[in-house]
Amino acid sequence: MTGTTDAAAALHAPCSGPSVWRGGDLANREEWILRLSSDQLAEIDSALREARRRDLTLLKLTAADFPLPALAGELERIAEALEHGRGFVLVKGLPVEQPGEPAASAVFWGLGQYLGRPVPQNADGHMLGHVRDTGRSLADPATRGYQTRAELPFHTDGADLLALLSLRTPRSGGRTSLVSSAAIHNAVLDLRPDLTERLYRTYFFDRREEHAPEEPPYAAAPLAARLPGGALSMRYNRCYLESAQRFSQVPRLEPADLELFDLIDAVAASHKLRLDIDLRAGDLLLLNTHTVMHARAEFEDRDQPELKRHLLRLWLAFPHRLRIGGARDGVTPRDVIRPRNAASQPETSPRRLPT
């Protein structure tokens, strides 16, 4: 009985450490920003030339093929901050306009190799994603957030790390916001301690048609889990939680569940907790989806197709560490047995690097 009591008490203990932060405290500070120097940009350009020389398809490009002898140390510090620190970093100044999309994709992929293992982002097995408006409605169960210009409330993605490289910005709107999941947990504990236990219950998330035929169309997971040492891992997407209710096999959400979701949404959107970021072309946003939620405001896009908002996206798994319940390992591709070995990942886009 004592063990059960201790476990319950641990769930109600407030989170602490660097993953607990308030956006209002960070808005006018820059310790979470890396502005690339001319030397670092020259090293990236040298790595791109070496990758071209090796004449590899993009998905076969490894860190060894994209050598960054000095910048590798900085990326190692970034990886440490992502997994064990604040949970997010903004890298500014990557060249994306003059070299063009293929070269920017190669640089993005090459940098990602130093941070984690790329995992599939959809059931088609795509490893490098394109975030742009397709005119689809988020109300359509087959639509994902990266395909629409509509507002995206605070949520987490399906991998350990999310990387977004901005190639082009919209005409207006589209602001990105971040919030500490641990700070949200503490706010729930402080404002509605009676709802805290529900954070650790199992809920059901709509998979939005991103599943193999033999798999269920929904996934079960708790919103929150405590890691060894007491750190918090959180998974949340209200849109997917509510659309999973379309399946008769999924238990019905209770009124208290909706009260919890309302509280999470309200706390996450508060000016005190959230950090707003206007991504510019060449900005690379990196975040740990276990410890940071993100949102995006609705945007108005440009008329010319070649000028429309466009971001590249990578989902990355932590290279050395499995979380409680396993790493968030992306989406299982249809008709593909996904290997666990990074060197044998299915190649869905065998495009060679630009010369």
Side-chain angles (χ1 to χ4, degrees):
M1 180 67 70
T2 301
T4 302
T5 302
D6 291 345
L11 299 185
H12 286 263
C15 300
S16 60
S19 66
V20 185
W21 49 267
R22 294 170 177 262
D25 297 333
L26 298 177
N28 296 316
R29 290 153 56 181
E30 288 210 356
E31 62 262 36
W32 49 276
I33 299 175
L34 170 63
R35 297 182 185 276
L36 293 170
S37 67
S38 57
D39 288 344
Q40 289 169 329
L41 289 172
E43 188 171 72
I44 290 172
D45 185 61
S46 175
L48 179 59
R49 290 198 303 271
E50 175 61 20
R52 287 168 170 165
R53 186 188 69 79
R54 300 192 182 196
D55 194 29
L56 298 169
T57 57
L58 183 66
L59 300 192
K60 288 185 176 179
L61 186 70
T62 68
D65 303 310
F66 198 82
L68 298 168
L71 190 55
E74 188 67 51
L75 292 173
E76 186 174 343
R77 288 187 286 274
I78 286 176
E80 177 68 18
L82 290 172
E83 188 168 3
H84 303 294
R86 192 176 291 113
F88 71 96
V89 173
L90 179 64
V91 180
K92 298 185 73 69
L94 281 168
V96 296
E97 296 176 350
Q98 189 277 328
E101 181 187 326
S105 298
V107 169
F108 185 42
W109 182 271
L111 293 174
Q113 298 302 301
Y114 287 85
L115 301 172
R117 173 174 57 84
V119 297
Q121 302 179 30
N122 56 32
D124 294 322
H126 293 158
M127 308 288 276
L128 179 64
H130 295 266
V131 180
R132 46 194 167 197
D133 178 39
T134 62
R136 301 176 66 171
S137 168
L138 196 58
D140 181 348
T143 300
R144 267 70 66 188
Y146 61 87
Q147 297 174 321
T148 175
R149 71 177 66 186
E151 176 187 6
L152 298 180
F154 280 97
H155 65 284
T156 58
D157 279 15
D160 293 329
L161 297 175
L162 168 65
L164 291 171
L165 175 60
S166 176
L167 301 182
R168 293 190 297 273
T169 59
R171 184 194 306 277
S172 62
R175 171 171 287 179
T176 296
S177 298
L178 310 180
V179 69
S180 160
S181 297
I184 290 176
H185 173 278
N186 289 353
V188 172
L189 181 61
D190 182 51
L191 298 171
R192 288 291 304 272
D194 58 304
L195 295 178
T196 305
E197 180 271 335
R198 289 182 179 268
L199 285 170
Y200 298 89
R201 290 188 180 184
T202 295
Y203 289 88
F204 293 82
F205 296 78
D206 193 344
R207 297 179 72 173
R208 295 255 162 166
E209 320 302 332
E210 297 280 24
H211 61 281
E214 70 278 6
E215 294 177 332
Y218 49 81
L223 299 187
R226 291 283 187 151
L227 309 178
L232 184 80
S233 171
M234 199 157 172
R235 181 191 306 258
Y236 182 72
N237 189 321
R238 183 166 186 169
C239 179
Y240 288 17
L241 287 162
E242 292 186 339
S243 67
Q245 296 288 290
R246 64 194 174 109
F247 302 111
S248 60
Q249 307 95 314
V250 170
R252 300 300 92 182
L253 291 170
E254 300 173 3
D257 295 322
L258 299 180
E259 290 181 40
L260 173 61
F261 299 167
D262 287 343
L263 181 57
I264 290 174
D265 293 343
V267 168
S270 69
H271 290 283
K272 184 182 294 185
L273 288 194
R274 80 170 196 260
L275 175 66
D276 295 330
I277 302 173
D278 288 311
L279 293 177
R280 306 300 184 190
D283 284 357
L284 169 59
L285 179 62
L286 303 163
L287 62 89
N288 179 342
T289 68
H290 295 270
T291 61
V292 178
M293 295 187 197
H294 63 287
R296 194 210 65 222
E298 183 179 11
F299 64 88
E300 179 184 352
D301 221 339
R302 303 178 192 276
D303 296 327
Q304 305 94 315
E306 69 277 9
L307 298 179
K308 288 183 178 294
R309 179 181 183 269
H310 187 187
L311 294 88
L312 299 178
R313 185 176 79 164
L314 281 176
W315 277 3
L316 301 165
F318 286 124
H320 306 302
R321 179 178 168 194
L322 288 181
R323 299 276 179 167
I324 287 178
R328 293 181 190 168
D329 217 11
V331 178
T332 304
R334 297 185 182 94
D335 302 321
V336 174
I337 299 175
R338 187 177 59 214
R340 298 293 175 181
N341 187 315
S344 57
Q345 286 287 352
E347 186 163 340
T348 58
S349 302
R351 181 174 57 186
R352 294 196 175 274
L353 302 186
T355 57

